[in-house]
Amino acid sequence: MTIRADRPRILTALAAMAALMMPLPAAAQSPFSAAVEVNDSIVTYYEIDQRIRFLEVLNAPGNLPELARERLIDERLQRQAGERLGLTATLEQVEEGMEEFAARANLSVDAMAAALQNEGIALETFRDFVASGITWRNIVRSRFGPRAQVSEDEIDRALTLSATEGGAQINFAELIVPLQGANADEARALITRLSETTDGSIGAFAQAARQYSASGSRNNGGGLGWRPLSTVPPQLRALLLPMEVGGVTDPIPMGNAIGIFQLRGLDENGFVTPDVIAVEYAIVPIPGGQSDAALAEAQDLRDDLDTCDDLYGVRPGGFEIVSLPIADVPADISVELTRLDANEVSTNLTRNNGADLLFLMLCGRSTELPEGGREEVRQALFQQRLESYAAGFLAELRADAIIDETP
């Protein structure tokens, strides 16, 4: 066996062990003389050469001599901090860390050491690398662990803004007719007739949507394209899923409108997407309904926003951000949100009998997680915070250090 044959496994192990460690270095010559002085410690040319070989084994990108030199400087600073704080890795921790590292490559420590030796890499290089990582982890968790704790509200927010988009996909179309005053009964009769006459025919539905639909999708024959099944409102999903392609729903009340929907395709490959259980969205009423002036104001507002949170600065007091279980979202808003990705906007809806344009922005979706899913999110957020604190602390150590590098 050679180390090169096992590179994928070793790369995986290294990535796991080095998660909290920072950037990297390079050089070689006169093996045990000082290439770099870091406060009262030195980094030798031999160590740099060894680290370069280690990085080569891992197919690390970039300028390896420079990466190796910088990483070893960081590790000296980390070790010095560990000594001051009494948090350097113990012999037992190092041995356990080496075993864990090797096991992730499906190797024993002895097999790992032999494979590295075939590449000219000493066991001490491996041991020092593991020890440095554990020392830095001890420091970061001790110093910043309490400050990095994650609240339940922060987990909820993270879930809302990062709903999974994988899994089953559905392709469907819509035909929406407004209900306004005296023509409401006529509109209901029309949509009922269309649900019957277009059932089973994609062409007929598309033609009817172009002629009668008030939705922005009418120019596309009502088509909404492929969407994650989990983003479709449960009520509508329950109607569409039993249908054959081309099937059309019965009329569905949607506040100031009424609509029908047609199934155009269903792809259940990889159906592992958690159900969307809640959505967060922003609404901004704009006087003028669908007038050119109101639509222009909506476009100007859209141009000023990257996320829903930008509304607090752009339009203070003139908006509402709503978080609701998916079943409680008004039907017309729920369907409109179906076609949006996070931070996308719709101006297809109105309120007050058409007097106000409803500027609607999707902030995010919250998914139902498998058992233990919330804890995974908590740990991910906790780790992100630790890494941020670690990067800041390492920058402080570098700023305060005396580093003398030999050309």
Side-chain angles (χ1 to χ4, degrees):
M1 177 197 71
T2 67
I3 189 70
R4 297 187 189 279
D6 291 305
R7 282 184 177 177
R9 291 183 294 170
I10 294 175
L11 179 58
T12 299
L14 179 62
M17 288 297 297
L20 281 177
M21 298 184 67
M22 301 297 122
L24 307 118
Q29 217 169 16
S30 232
F32 298 104
S33 61
V36 186
E37 294 185 22
V38 184
N39 293 324
D40 57 355
S41 297
I42 65 169
V43 176
T44 67
Y45 286 109
Y46 171 77
E47 290 175 287
I48 294 174
D49 178 68
Q50 284 283 292
R51 185 57 62 87
I52 292 170
R53 292 171 184 264
F54 203 34
L55 294 172
E56 286 175 342
V57 162
L58 299 169
N59 292 321
N63 184 326
L64 298 190
E66 181 180 345
L67 292 176
R69 180 182 288 254
E70 292 303 313
R71 173 58 65 84
L72 287 168
I73 291 172
D74 288 344
E75 289 176 7
R76 285 297 186 276
L77 293 170
Q78 292 162 356
R79 187 176 70 187
Q80 291 166 9
E83 290 171 350
R84 289 197 304 271
L85 298 171
L87 294 171
T88 54
T90 65
L91 178 60
E92 181 181 18
Q93 287 176 329
V94 174
E95 290 177 347
E96 289 177 355
M98 293 173 69
E99 290 173 359
E100 180 183 354
F101 183 97
R104 286 177 174 153
N106 294 321
L107 297 170
S108 67
V109 172
D110 289 342
M112 181 77 155
L116 290 171
Q117 188 173 16
N118 288 339
E119 297 292 323
I121 300 167
L123 176 62
E124 289 74 15
T125 297
F126 175 36
R127 185 187 301 277
D128 290 346
F129 174 81
V130 172
S132 296
I134 293 172
T135 294
W136 188 235
R137 183 181 65 194
N138 291 347
I139 294 169
V140 171
R141 288 185 176 272
S142 173
R143 190 179 181 91
F144 303 113
R147 293 166 56 185
Q149 297 303 312
V150 179
S151 70
E152 295 301 316
D153 287 344
E154 288 169 328
I155 295 174
D156 290 339
R157 179 69 171 169
L159 292 174
T160 297
L161 297 179
S162 61
T164 302
E165 295 277 318
Q169 302 280 315
I170 190 170
N171 186 353
F172 65 105
E174 64 180 359
L175 195 163
I176 310 296
V177 176
L179 297 175
Q180 296 179 346
N183 76 341
D185 289 340
E186 182 180 342
R188 290 189 183 94
L190 171 65
I191 205 76
T192 299
R193 176 170 57 83
L194 291 176
S195 72
E196 298 171 352
T197 58
T198 63
D199 188 33
S201 173
I202 291 176
F205 190 99
Q207 182 178 352
R210 292 187 183 97
Q211 183 174 355
Y212 298 109
S213 182
S215 172
S217 63
R218 63 183 177 273
N219 294 330
N220 193 37
L224 298 174
W226 288 97
R227 307 292 298 176
L229 180 62
S230 63
T231 66
V232 178
Q235 306 93 321
L236 179 56
R237 194 189 317 167
L239 294 174
L240 290 172
L241 286 180
M243 291 182 174
E244 300 291 335
V245 171
V248 176
T249 67
D250 291 333
I252 300 174
M254 301 173 60
N256 293 330
I258 191 166
I260 55 176
F261 298 83
Q262 182 180 59
L263 179 65
R264 295 200 170 165
L266 182 64
D267 180 3
E268 297 182 78
N269 291 333
F271 186 25
V272 294
T273 306
D275 287 339
V276 172
I277 59 172
V279 291
E280 183 176 71
Y281 58 92
I283 51 177
V284 182
I286 298 176
Q290 292 286 339
S291 66
D292 290 343
L295 290 170
E297 182 179 346
Q299 184 59 53
D300 289 341
L301 178 58
R302 179 69 188 97
D303 292 342
D304 290 336
L305 302 176
D306 292 320
T307 70
C308 291
D309 288 342
D310 293 338
L311 283 163
Y312 290 101
V314 173
R315 200 180 181 93
F319 69 96
E320 182 180 5
I321 292 184
V322 182
S323 295
L324 286 174
I326 192 70
D328 295 340
V329 179
D332 57 343
I333 291 178
S334 186
V335 171
E336 201 65 26
L337 292 175
T338 297
R339 58 175 133 250
L340 301 180
D341 291 324
N343 303 314
E344 289 185 343
V345 167
S346 164
T347 55
N348 293 327
L349 303 180
T350 60
R351 287 295 185 266
N352 296 329
N353 292 320
D356 291 335
L357 175 70
L358 192 66
F359 181 96
L360 176 67
M361 186 174 193
L362 176 63
C363 307
R365 298 182 174 93
S366 179
T367 60
E368 183 179 7
L369 295 176
E371 184 177 354
R374 288 184 66 84
E375 186 58 28
E376 290 181 10
V377 173
R378 185 192 305 278
Q379 289 301 319
L381 293 174
F382 177 74
Q383 190 66 23
Q384 289 170 10
R385 290 183 180 178
L386 280 185
E387 290 176 3
S388 176
Y389 289 135
F393 185 43
L394 184 60
E396 289 180 18
L397 294 177
R398 270 193 170 254
D400 294 339
I402 299 174
I403 302 173
D404 185 11
E405 300 190 52
T406 302

